Amino acid sequence: MGKQWKKNNYCDIIPDILFGVDLTKCCYNHDVDYWKKPICRKEADQRLKRCFLNKYKNAGKYKLGKIISNIIYICLRLFGWIKW
């Protein structure tokens, strides 16, 4: 998967913990989806978006989660093909 995986860093471009919310599990699952391709890329990106939103919602930061999950989703849709 890459050098960052060996360091347990699954969120490539953003920190694994962003604004006090641990996104490691979401990013790990997304990386596995990209690696094994059990679903289409769009579905993998949508899963990540939902996971981020749920993590922020559970942390009481729903509005921040909406913003971050939408930004990340748009970036993935534009540039995710590079790693797919």
Side-chain angles (χ1 to χ4, degrees), residues 23-77:
L23 304 170
T24 305
K25 184 74 172 168
C26 297
C27 293
Y28 173 83
N29 290 335
H30 185 255
D31 283 359
V32 170
D33 284 344
Y34 263 47
W35 175 39
K36 294 188 175 184
K37 298 176 178 52
I39 55 176
C40 69
R41 192 178 127 236
K42 185 175 183 178
E43 178 60 28
D45 295 345
Q46 288 172 339
R47 280 186 185 180
L48 182 73
K49 180 181 176 180
R50 286 190 302 267
C51 188
F52 275 22
L53 191 56
N54 286 332
K55 291 283 188 178
Y56 278 94
K57 182 180 176 183
N58 292 339
K61 301 177 181 182
Y62 181 76
K63 288 182 183 180
L64 181 60
K66 280 289 269 189
I67 294 166
I68 290 172
S69 63
N70 282 314
I71 290 171
I72 296 301
Y73 179 75
I74 291 167
C75 291
L76 285 169
R77 296 310 302 146

Side-chain angles (χ1 to χ4, degrees), residues 6-21:
K6 291 177 184 174
K7 298 177 185 177
N8 293 327
N9 179 9
Y10 305 111
C11 300
D12 292 339
I13 296 179
I14 62 170
D16 284 5
I17 299 174
L18 188 61
F19 298 109
V21 178

